Amino acid sequence: VVPGLPLMDQSSRGKVTPENALVVGFVIGKSHGKVANKQYLLRVLGPSLSKFDIPTGLKNPRVSLTRNGKPFDHLMIDDREFVETWSPKVGAFALVKESGEFLRRASLPAGNYSLTVESTNGESGDVLVEIYETAA
């Protein structure tokens, strides 16, 4: 974790099945000086991938966040206003309406993280995980 080297954005795509989760690891560097935790936009997309001719997007995934191996789900907040404001500002593509995708704001301190995407209801499908740093 190097001071001054922030995470700007990260994305990974994969297939999630009842037997196999998708795990995306990322590191957030320390900020210079006394800076509050930065705000991140977390998106786990399935149905909106149909815009890119991927009709097998996973609906309603179960998503968990860990930091250094410990649960950190409490840092993910369902904040639709934040998501709607910051998605276009960070260059994220528009989503299919009412698609049941995972969209959260997270105030994350420096550290090593894993975002795990799991199947619900025994379904399989493709997902795109996006993590964006915002200027909020």
Side-chain angles (χ1 to χ4, degrees):
V1 181
V2 179
L5 293 179
L7 170 75
M8 297 309 290
D9 64 73
Q10 159 109 23
S11 64
S12 295
R13 182 178 150 214
K15 186 161 194 86
V16 175
T17 69
E19 299 82 24
N20 296 300
L22 175 65
V23 180
V24 177
F26 61 101
V27 177
I28 295 176
K30 295 178 182 176
S31 299
H32 287 294
K34 293 185 178 184
V35 177
N37 296 342
K38 293 187 178 181
Q39 300 294 311
Y40 292 85
L41 171 62
L42 308 177
R43 302 184 352 152
V44 179
L45 312 178
S48 288
L49 296 177
S50 64
K51 293 176 140 189
F52 304 100
D53 295 324
I54 302 168
T56 56
L58 182 67
K59 296 177 186 172
N60 301 312
R62 180 177 29 245
V63 179
S64 59
L65 179 69
T66 58
R67 179 175 178 224
N68 299 326
K70 295 181 180 156
F72 258 66
D73 289 346
H74 65 282
L75 295 181
M76 297 187 298
I77 300 168
D78 189 358
D79 184 345
R80 298 294 174 184
E81 184 178 335
F82 179 88
V83 170
E84 289 173 8
T85 299
W86 282 98
S87 289
K89 289 182 180 183
V90 297
F93 66 88
L95 305 177
V96 171
K97 297 285 185 200
E98 306 301 322
S99 59
E101 289 164 307
F102 182 88
L103 308 167
R104 298 291 187 272
R105 170 178 61 90
S107 178
L108 302 177
N112 302 312
Y113 292 89
S114 292
L115 196 67
T116 303
V117 182
E118 297 176 281
S119 169
T120 55
N121 303 321
E123 296 181 6
S124 296
D126 291 293
V127 295
L128 176 66
V129 176
E130 299 178 320
I131 305 161
Y132 294 98
E133 181 179 306
T134 72

